[in-house]
Coordinates of all heavy atoms in Angstrom, one line a residue:
D1 N 49.4 41.1 -44.5 CA 49.3 42.6 -44.3 C 48.8 43.3 -45.6 O 48.7 44.5 -45.6 CB 50.6 43.2 -43.8 CG 51.8 43.0 -44.8 OD1 51.6 43.0 -46.1 OD2 52.9 42.9 -44.4
G2 N 48.6 42.6 -46.6 CA 48.1 43.2 -47.9 C 49.1 43.8 -48.8 O 48.9 44.0 -49.9
G3 N 50.3 44.1 -48.2 CA 51.4 44.6 -49.0 C 52.5 43.7 -49.4 O 53.5 44.0 -50.0
S4 N 52.3 42.4 -49.1 CA 53.2 41.4 -49.3 C 53.0 40.7 -50.6 O 51.9 40.6 -51.1 CB 53.2 40.3 -48.2 OG 53.5 40.9 -46.9
M5 N 54.1 40.2 -51.2 CA 54.1 39.4 -52.4 C 53.5 38.0 -52.1 O 53.9 37.4 -51.1 CB 55.5 39.3 -53.0 CG 55.5 38.5 -54.2 SD 57.2 38.5 -54.9 CE 57.0 37.6 -56.4
V6 N 52.6 37.6 -52.9 CA 51.9 36.3 -52.9 C 52.1 35.6 -54.2 O 51.8 36.3 -55.2 CB 50.5 36.4 -52.4 CG1 49.8 35.0 -52.4 CG2 50.3 37.1 -51.1
L7 N 52.5 34.4 -54.3 CA 52.6 33.6 -55.5 C 51.7 32.4 -55.4 O 51.9 31.6 -54.4 CB 54.0 33.3 -55.8 CG 54.2 32.6 -57.2 CD1 54.9 33.5 -58.1 CD2 55.1 31.3 -57.0
Y8 N 50.9 32.1 -56.3 CA 50.0 31.0 -56.3 C 50.4 30.1 -57.5 O 50.6 30.5 -58.6 CB 48.5 31.4 -56.5 CG 47.6 30.2 -56.7 CD1 47.2 29.4 -55.7 CD2 47.1 30.0 -58.0 CE1 46.4 28.4 -55.8 CE2 46.2 28.9 -58.2 CZ 45.8 28.1 -57.1 OH 45.0 27.1 -57.3
R9 N 50.8 28.8 -57.1 CA 51.2 27.8 -58.2 C 50.0 27.0 -58.5 O 49.5 26.2 -57.7 CB 52.4 26.9 -57.6 CG 53.0 26.1 -58.6 CD 54.2 25.5 -58.2 NE 54.0 24.7 -56.9 CZ 55.0 24.4 -56.1 NH1 56.2 24.7 -56.3 NH2 54.7 23.7 -55.0
E10 N 49.5 27.1 -59.8 CA 48.3 26.4 -60.2 C 48.4 24.9 -60.2 O 47.4 24.2 -60.0 CB 47.9 26.9 -61.6 CG 47.4 28.3 -61.6 CD 46.9 28.8 -63.0 OE1 47.0 28.0 -64.0 OE2 46.5 29.9 -63.1
Q11 N 49.6 24.4 -60.5 CA 49.7 22.9 -60.6 C 49.3 22.2 -59.4 O 48.6 21.1 -59.5 CB 51.2 22.5 -60.9 CG 51.8 22.9 -62.2 CD 52.4 24.3 -62.1 OE1 52.1 25.1 -61.2 NE2 53.3 24.5 -63.0
D12 N 49.6 22.7 -58.2 CA 49.2 22.0 -57.0 C 48.5 22.9 -55.9 O 48.2 22.4 -54.8 CB 50.4 21.4 -56.3 CG 51.5 22.4 -55.9 OD1 51.3 23.6 -56.2 OD2 52.6 22.0 -55.4
G13 N 48.2 24.1 -56.3 CA 47.5 25.0 -55.4 C 48.3 25.6 -54.3 O 47.8 26.2 -53.4
A14 N 49.6 25.4 -54.4 CA 50.5 25.9 -53.3 C 50.6 27.4 -53.4 O 50.6 28.1 -54.5 CB 51.9 25.3 -53.4
M15 N 50.6 28.1 -52.2 CA 50.8 29.5 -52.1 C 52.1 29.8 -51.4 O 52.4 29.2 -50.4 CB 49.6 30.2 -51.4 CG 48.3 30.0 -52.2 SD 47.0 30.9 -51.4 CE 47.4 32.6 -51.9
F16 N 52.8 30.8 -51.9 CA 54.0 31.3 -51.3 C 54.0 32.8 -51.0 O 53.4 33.5 -51.7 CB 55.2 31.0 -52.3 CG 55.3 29.6 -52.7 CD1 54.6 29.1 -53.9 CD2 56.1 28.6 -52.1 CE1 54.7 27.8 -54.2 CE2 56.1 27.3 -52.4 CZ 55.4 26.9 -53.5
F17 N 54.6 33.1 -49.9 CA 54.6 34.5 -49.5 C 56.0 35.1 -49.2 O 56.9 34.3 -49.0 CB 53.8 34.6 -48.1 CG 52.5 34.0 -48.1 CD1 52.2 32.7 -47.9 CD2 51.4 34.9 -48.5 CE1 50.9 32.2 -48.0 CE2 50.1 34.4 -48.6 CZ 49.8 33.1 -48.3
K18 N 56.1 36.4 -49.5 CA 57.4 37.1 -49.3 C 58.6 36.4 -49.8 O 58.6 36.2 -51.1 CB 57.5 37.3 -47.7 CG 56.5 38.2 -47.1 CD 56.8 38.4 -45.7 CE 55.8 39.4 -45.0 NZ 56.2 39.8 -43.7
G19 N 59.6 36.1 -49.1 CA 60.8 35.6 -49.6 C 60.6 34.2 -50.3 O 61.3 34.0 -51.3
D20 N 59.7 33.4 -49.8 CA 59.4 32.1 -50.5 C 58.8 32.3 -51.9 O 59.1 31.6 -52.8 CB 58.5 31.3 -49.6 CG 59.2 30.8 -48.3 OD1 60.4 30.7 -48.3 OD2 58.4 30.4 -47.4
A21 N 58.0 33.4 -52.0 CA 57.5 33.7 -53.3 C 58.6 34.1 -54.3 O 58.5 33.8 -55.5 CB 56.4 34.8 -53.2
L22 N 59.5 34.9 -53.8 CA 60.7 35.3 -54.6 C 61.5 34.1 -55.1 O 61.9 34.0 -56.3 CB 61.6 36.3 -53.9 CG 60.9 37.7 -53.7 CD1 61.9 38.5 -52.9 CD2 60.6 38.3 -55.0
I23 N 61.7 33.2 -54.2 CA 62.4 31.9 -54.6 C 61.6 31.1 -55.6 O 62.3 30.7 -56.7 CB 62.7 31.0 -53.4 CG1 63.6 31.8 -52.4 CG2 63.2 29.7 -53.8 CD1 63.8 31.1 -51.0
E24 N 60.4 31.0 -55.5 CA 59.6 30.2 -56.5 C 59.5 31.0 -57.8 O 59.6 30.4 -58.9 CB 58.1 30.0 -56.0 CG 58.1 29.0 -54.9 CD 58.6 27.6 -55.3 OE1 58.1 27.1 -56.4 OE2 59.4 27.0 -54.5
L25 N 59.4 32.3 -57.7 CA 59.4 33.1 -59.0 C 60.7 32.9 -59.8 O 60.8 32.8 -60.9 CB 59.2 34.6 -58.7 CG 59.1 35.5 -59.8 CD1 57.9 35.1 -60.7 CD2 58.8 36.9 -59.3
G26 N 61.8 32.9 -59.0 CA 63.1 32.7 -59.6 C 63.2 31.3 -60.3 O 63.8 31.2 -61.4
K27 N 62.6 30.3 -59.8 CA 62.5 29.0 -60.4 C 61.8 29.1 -61.8 O 62.2 28.4 -62.8 CB 61.9 28.0 -59.5 CG 62.6 27.6 -58.3 CD 61.8 26.6 -57.5 CE 62.6 26.3 -56.2 NZ 61.8 25.4 -55.3
V28 N 60.7 29.8 -61.8 CA 59.9 30.0 -63.0 C 60.7 30.8 -64.0 O 60.7 30.4 -65.2 CB 58.6 30.7 -62.7 CG1 57.8 31.0 -64.0 CG2 57.7 29.7 -61.8
L29 N 61.4 31.9 -63.6 CA 62.1 32.7 -64.6 C 63.3 32.1 -65.1 O 63.7 32.3 -66.2 CB 62.4 34.1 -63.9 CG 61.2 35.0 -63.5 CD1 61.7 36.1 -62.7 CD2 60.4 35.3 -64.7
G30 N 64.0 31.3 -64.3 CA 65.2 30.6 -64.7 C 66.4 31.5 -64.8 O 66.3 32.7 -64.4
G31 N 67.5 31.0 -65.4 CA 68.7 31.8 -65.5 C 69.3 32.3 -64.2 O 69.3 31.5 -63.2
L32 N 69.8 33.5 -64.2 CA 70.3 34.1 -63.1 C 69.3 34.2 -61.9 O 69.7 34.2 -60.7 CB 70.9 35.5 -63.4 CG 72.2 35.5 -64.2 CD1 72.5 36.9 -64.5 CD2 73.3 34.8 -63.5
W33 N 68.1 34.4 -62.3 CA 67.0 34.5 -61.2 C 66.9 33.2 -60.5 O 66.7 33.2 -59.2 CB 65.7 34.9 -61.9 CG 65.7 36.3 -62.5 CD1 65.6 36.5 -63.8 CD2 65.8 37.5 -61.8 NE1 65.7 37.8 -64.1 CE2 65.8 38.5 -62.8 CE3 65.8 37.8 -60.5 CZ2 65.9 39.8 -62.5 CZ3 66.0 39.2 -60.2 CH2 65.9 40.2 -61.2
K34 N 67.0 32.1 -61.2 CA 66.9 30.8 -60.5 C 68.1 30.6 -59.5 O 67.9 30.2 -58.4 CB 66.9 29.7 -61.5 CG 66.7 28.3 -60.9 CD 66.6 27.2 -62.0 CE 66.4 25.9 -61.4 NZ 66.2 24.8 -62.4
G35 N 69.3 31.0 -60.0 CA 70.5 30.9 -59.2 C 70.3 31.9 -57.9 O 70.7 31.5 -56.8
S36 N 69.8 33.0 -58.1 CA 69.6 34.0 -57.0 C 68.6 33.5 -56.0 O 68.9 33.5 -54.8 CB 69.1 35.4 -57.5 OG 70.0 35.9 -58.4
G37 N 67.6 32.8 -56.5 CA 66.6 32.2 -55.6 C 67.3 31.0 -54.8 O 66.9 30.9 -53.7
W38 N 68.1 30.3 -55.5 CA 68.8 29.1 -54.8 C 69.6 29.7 -53.6 O 69.6 29.2 -52.5 CB 69.6 28.3 -55.8 CG 70.3 27.2 -55.1 CD1 69.7 26.0 -54.8 CD2 71.6 27.1 -54.6 NE1 70.6 25.2 -54.2 CE2 71.8 25.9 -54.0 CE3 72.7 28.0 -54.6 CZ2 73.0 25.5 -53.4 CZ3 73.9 27.7 -54.0 CH2 74.0 26.4 -53.5
I39 N 70.4 30.7 -53.9 CA 71.3 31.3 -52.9 C 70.4 31.9 -51.8 O 70.7 31.7 -50.6 CB 72.2 32.4 -53.5 CG1 73.2 31.8 -54.4 CG2 72.9 33.2 -52.4 CD1 74.0 32.7 -55.3
F40 N 69.3 32.6 -52.1 CA 68.4 33.1 -51.2 C 67.8 32.0 -50.3 O 67.6 32.2 -49.1 CB 67.3 33.9 -51.9 CG 66.6 34.9 -51.0 CD1 67.2 35.8 -50.2 CD2 65.2 35.0 -51.1 CE1 66.5 36.7 -49.4 CE2 64.5 36.0 -50.4 CZ 65.1 36.8 -49.6
S41 N 67.6 30.9 -50.8 CA 66.9 29.8 -50.0 C 67.9 29.1 -49.0 O 67.4 28.4 -48.1 CB 66.5 28.7 -51.0 OG 67.6 28.0 -51.6
L42 N 69.2 29.4 -49.1 CA 70.1 28.9 -48.1 C 70.0 29.6 -46.7 O 70.4 29.0 -45.7 CB 71.5 29.1 -48.6 CG 72.0 28.4 -49.9 CD1 73.3 28.7 -50.3 CD2 71.8 26.8 -49.7
F43 N 69.4 30.7 -46.7 CA 69.2 31.5 -45.5 C 67.9 31.0 -44.8 O 66.9 30.6 -45.4 CB 69.1 33.0 -45.7 CG 70.4 33.5 -46.2 CD1 70.6 33.7 -47.6 CD2 71.4 33.9 -45.4 CE1 71.8 34.2 -48.0 CE2 72.6 34.5 -45.8 CZ 72.8 34.6 -47.1
P44 N 67.8 31.1 -43.4 CA 66.6 30.7 -42.7 C 65.4 31.6 -43.2 O 65.6 32.7 -43.5 CB 67.0 31.0 -41.3 CG 68.4 31.0 -41.2 CD 68.9 31.5 -42.5
K45 N 64.2 31.0 -43.1 CA 63.0 31.7 -43.6 C 62.9 33.0 -42.8 O 62.4 34.0 -43.4 CB 61.8 30.8 -43.3 CG 60.5 31.4 -43.8 CD 59.4 30.5 -43.7 CE 58.0 31.1 -43.9 NZ 57.9 32.2 -44.8
S46 N 63.1 33.0 -41.5 CA 62.9 34.3 -40.8 C 63.9 35.4 -41.3 O 63.5 36.5 -41.4 CB 63.2 34.0 -39.3 OG 64.5 33.6 -39.1
W47 N 65.1 35.0 -41.7 CA 66.0 36.0 -42.3 C 65.5 36.5 -43.7 O 65.6 37.6 -44.0 CB 67.4 35.4 -42.4 CG 68.1 35.1 -41.1 CD1 67.6 35.1 -39.9 CD2 69.5 34.8 -41.0 NE1 68.5 34.8 -39.0 CE2 69.7 34.6 -39.6 CE3 70.5 34.7 -41.9 CZ2 71.0 34.3 -39.1 CZ3 71.8 34.4 -41.4 CH2 72.0 34.2 -40.1
R48 N 65.1 35.5 -44.4 CA 64.6 35.9 -45.8 C 63.4 36.9 -45.7 O 63.3 37.9 -46.4 CB 64.1 34.6 -46.6 CG 65.2 33.7 -46.9 CD 64.8 32.7 -47.9 NE 63.6 31.9 -47.5 CZ 63.6 30.7 -47.1 NH1 64.7 30.0 -46.9 NH2 62.4 30.1 -46.8
D49 N 62.4 36.5 -44.8 CA 61.3 37.4 -44.6 C 61.7 38.7 -44.0 O 61.1 39.8 -44.5 CB 60.2 36.8 -43.8 CG 59.5 35.6 -44.5 OD1 59.6 35.5 -45.7 OD2 58.8 34.8 -43.8
C50 N 62.6 38.8 -43.2 CA 63.1 40.1 -42.6 C 63.8 40.9 -43.8 O 63.5 42.1 -43.8 CB 64.1 39.8 -41.5 SG 64.6 41.3 -40.7
A51 N 64.6 40.3 -44.6 CA 65.2 41.0 -45.7 C 64.1 41.5 -46.7 O 64.2 42.6 -47.2 CB 66.2 40.1 -46.4
Y52 N 63.1 40.6 -47.0 CA 62.1 41.0 -47.9 C 61.3 42.3 -47.3 O 61.1 43.2 -48.0 CB 61.0 39.9 -48.0 CG 59.8 40.3 -48.9 CD1 59.9 40.1 -50.2 CD2 58.7 40.8 -48.3 CE1 58.8 40.5 -51.0 CE2 57.7 41.2 -49.0 CZ 57.7 41.0 -50.5 OH 56.6 41.4 -51.1
D53 N 61.0 42.2 -46.0 CA 60.2 43.3 -45.4 C 61.0 44.6 -45.5 O 60.5 45.7 -45.8 CB 59.9 43.0 -44.0 CG 58.8 42.0 -43.8 OD1 58.1 41.7 -44.8 OD2 58.7 41.3 -42.7
W54 N 62.3 44.5 -45.2 CA 63.2 45.7 -45.3 C 63.3 46.3 -46.7 O 63.2 47.5 -46.9 CB 64.6 45.3 -44.8 CG 65.6 46.5 -44.8 CD1 65.7 47.5 -43.9 CD2 66.6 46.8 -45.8 NE1 66.7 48.4 -44.3 CE2 67.2 48.0 -45.4 CE3 66.9 46.2 -47.0 CZ2 68.2 48.6 -46.2 CZ3 68.0 46.8 -47.8 CH2 68.6 47.9 -47.4
M55 N 63.4 45.4 -47.7 CA 63.4 45.8 -49.1 C 62.1 46.5 -49.5 O 62.0 47.5 -50.1 CB 63.8 44.7 -50.0 CG 65.1 44.2 -50.0 SD 66.3 45.4 -50.6 CE 65.9 45.4 -52.3
A56 N 61.0 45.9 -49.0 CA 59.7 46.4 -49.4 C 59.5 47.7 -48.7 O 58.9 48.7 -49.4 CB 58.6 45.4 -48.9
R57 N 59.9 48.0 -47.5 CA 59.8 49.3 -46.8 C 60.6 50.3 -47.5 O 60.2 51.5 -47.5 CB 60.2 49.2 -45.4 CG 59.2 48.6 -44.5 CD 59.6 48.9 -43.0 NE 61.0 48.5 -42.7 CZ 61.4 47.3 -42.3 NH1 60.5 46.3 -42.2 NH2 62.7 47.1 -42.0
N58 N 61.7 50.0 -48.1 CA 62.6 50.9 -48.8 C 62.7 51.0 -50.3 O 63.5 51.5 -50.9 CB 64.0 50.7 -48.2 CG 64.2 50.9 -46.7 OD1 64.1 52.1 -46.3 ND2 64.3 49.9 -46.0
R59 N 61.6 50.3 -50.9 CA 61.6 50.2 -52.4 C 61.7 51.5 -53.1 O 62.3 51.6 -54.1 CB 60.5 49.3 -52.8 CG 59.1 49.9 -52.6 CD 58.0 48.9 -53.0 NE 56.7 49.4 -52.7 CZ 56.1 49.2 -51.6 NH1 56.6 48.6 -50.6 NH2 54.9 49.8 -51.5
Y60 N 61.0 52.5 -52.5 CA 61.0 53.8 -53.2 C 62.3 54.5 -53.1 O 62.7 55.2 -54.1 CB 59.9 54.7 -52.7 CG 58.5 54.2 -53.0 CD1 57.6 53.7 -52.0 CD2 58.1 54.1 -54.3 CE1 56.4 53.2 -52.3 CE2 56.8 53.6 -54.6 CZ 56.0 53.1 -53.6 OH 54.8 52.6 -53.9
R61 N 63.0 54.3 -52.0 CA 64.3 54.9 -51.9 C 65.3 54.2 -52.9 O 66.1 54.9 -53.5 CB 64.9 54.6 -50.5 CG 66.2 55.3 -50.3 CD 66.8 55.0 -48.9 NE 65.8 55.1 -47.8 CZ 66.0 54.6 -46.6 NH1 67.2 54.0 -46.3 NH2 65.1 54.7 -45.7
F62 N 65.2 52.9 -53.1 CA 66.0 52.2 -54.1 C 65.8 52.6 -55.5 O 66.6 52.6 -56.3 CB 66.0 50.7 -53.8 CG 66.4 50.2 -52.5 CD1 65.6 49.4 -51.8 CD2 67.6 50.6 -52.0 CE1 66.0 48.9 -50.5 CE2 68.0 50.2 -50.7 CZ 67.2 49.4 -50.0
S63 N 64.5 52.8 -55.8 CA 64.1 53.2 -57.2 C 64.3 54.7 -57.4 O 64.0 55.1 -58.5 CB 62.7 52.7 -57.5 OG 61.8 53.5 -56.7
R64 N 64.6 55.4 -56.4 CA 64.8 56.9 -56.5 C 63.5 57.6 -56.9 O 63.6 58.5 -57.7 CB 65.9 57.2 -57.4 CG 67.2 56.7 -56.8 CD 68.4 57.0 -57.6 NE 69.6 56.3 -57.0 CZ 70.8 56.5 -57.4 NH1 71.1 57.3 -58.4 NH2 71.7 55.8 -56.8
G65 N 62.4 57.1 -56.6 CA 61.1 57.7 -56.8 C 60.6 57.5 -58.2 O 59.6 58.1 -58.6
I66 N 61.3 56.7 -59.0 CA 60.8 56.5 -60.4 C 59.5 55.7 -60.3 O 59.5 54.6 -59.6 CB 61.9 55.7 -61.2 CG1 63.2 56.5 -61.3 CG2 61.4 55.3 -62.6 CD1 64.4 55.7 -61.8
G67 N 58.5 56.1 -61.1 CA 57.3 55.4 -61.1 C 57.3 54.2 -61.9 O 56.6 54.1 -63.0
A68 N 58.1 53.2 -61.6 CA 58.3 52.0 -62.4 C 57.1 51.2 -62.5 O 56.9 50.3 -63.4 CB 59.5 51.2 -61.9
C69 N 56.1 51.3 -61.6 CA 55.0 50.4 -61.6 C 53.7 51.2 -61.8 O 52.7 50.9 -61.3 CB 54.9 49.7 -60.3 SG 56.3 48.5 -60.0
E70 N 53.8 52.3 -62.5 CA 52.6 53.1 -62.8 C 51.7 52.3 -63.7 O 52.1 51.5 -64.5 CB 53.0 54.4 -63.5 CG 53.8 55.3 -62.6 CD 54.2 56.6 -63.4 OE1 53.9 56.7 -64.6 OE2 54.9 57.4 -62.8
L71 N 50.4 52.6 -63.5 CA 49.3 52.0 -64.4 C 49.4 52.6 -65.7 O 49.7 53.9 -65.9 CB 48.0 52.2 -63.8 CG 47.8 51.5 -62.5 CD1 46.4 51.8 -61.9 CD2 47.9 49.9 -62.6
P72 N 49.1 51.9 -66.8 CA 49.2 52.5 -68.1 C 48.0 53.5 -68.4 O 46.9 53.3 -67.8 CB 49.0 51.3 -69.1 CG 48.4 50.2 -68.2 CD 48.8 50.5 -66.8
D73 N 48.3 54.5 -69.2 CA 47.2 55.4 -69.5 C 46.2 54.8 -70.5 O 46.4 53.7 -71.0 CB 47.7 56.7 -70.0 CG 48.5 56.5 -71.3 OD1 48.3 55.6 -72.1 OD2 49.3 57.4 -71.7
E74 N 45.1 55.5 -70.8 CA 44.0 54.9 -71.6 C 44.5 54.5 -73.0 O 44.2 53.5 -73.5 CB 42.9 55.9 -71.7 CG 41.7 55.3 -72.4 CD 41.0 54.1 -71.7 OE1 41.1 54.1 -70.4 OE2 40.5 53.3 -72.4
G75 N 45.4 55.3 -73.6 CA 45.9 55.0 -74.9 C 46.7 53.8 -74.9 O 46.6 52.9 -75.9
L76 N 47.5 53.5 -73.9 CA 48.4 52.3 -73.9 C 47.5 51.1 -73.5 O 47.7 50.1 -74.1 CB 49.5 52.5 -72.8 CG 50.4 51.3 -72.7 CD1 51.1 51.1 -74.0 CD2 51.5 51.7 -71.6
R77 N 46.6 51.3 -72.7 CA 45.7 50.2 -72.4 C 44.9 49.7 -73.6 O 44.7 48.5 -73.7 CB 44.6 50.6 -71.3 CG 44.9 50.0 -70.0 CD 43.9 50.4 -69.0 NE 44.0 51.8 -68.9 CZ 43.4 52.6 -68.0 NH1 42.7 52.0 -67.2 NH2 43.6 53.8 -67.9
K78 N 44.6 50.5 -74.5 CA 43.8 50.1 -75.7 C 44.8 49.3 -76.6 O 44.3 48.4 -77.3 CB 43.3 51.3 -76.5 CG 42.2 52.0 -75.8 CD 41.7 53.2 -76.6 CE 40.5 53.9 -75.9 NZ 40.1 55.1 -76.6
R79 N 46.1 49.5 -76.6 CA 47.0 48.8 -77.4 C 47.5 47.5 -76.8 O 48.0 46.6 -77.5 CB 48.3 49.6 -77.7 CG 48.0 50.9 -78.5 CD 49.1 51.7 -78.9 NE 50.3 51.4 -78.1 CZ 51.2 52.3 -77.6 NH1 50.9 53.6 -77.9 NH2 52.2 52.0 -77.0
M80 N 47.2 47.3 -75.6 CA 47.6 46.1 -74.8 C 46.7 44.9 -75.1 O 45.5 45.1 -75.3 CB 47.7 46.4 -73.3 CG 48.8 47.3 -73.0 SD 48.8 47.8 -71.3 CE 49.4 46.3 -70.5
R81 N 47.2 43.7 -75.0 CA 46.4 42.5 -75.2 C 45.5 42.3 -74.0 O 45.9 42.6 -72.8 CB 47.3 41.3 -75.3 CG 47.8 41.1 -76.7 CD 48.4 39.8 -76.7 NE 48.1 39.0 -77.9 CZ 48.7 38.0 -78.3 NH1 49.7 37.5 -77.6 NH2 48.4 37.5 -79.5
K82 N 44.4 41.7 -74.2 CA 43.5 41.4 -73.0 C 43.6 39.9 -72.7 O 43.9 39.1 -73.4 CB 42.1 41.8 -73.4 CG 42.0 43.3 -73.5 CD 40.5 43.7 -73.6 CE 40.6 45.2 -73.7 NZ 39.5 45.9 -73.1

């Protein structure tokens, strides 16, 4: 649908979508994220994807409208690594 999370694993070319992508991302990040991903993986895929879709639909409500994912302005972009 174009609005879903997609994770591509370069080692073997595997692609993960929605809840499965979050689980794989947790493995990469480690720590509490890895544990959260493990717990999330205990639920059936259909439940995980349903929960993912619900969170995605309501993300602005949860963030209270904070522009946490805004693009950097020109000044900040010049200071960032390429």
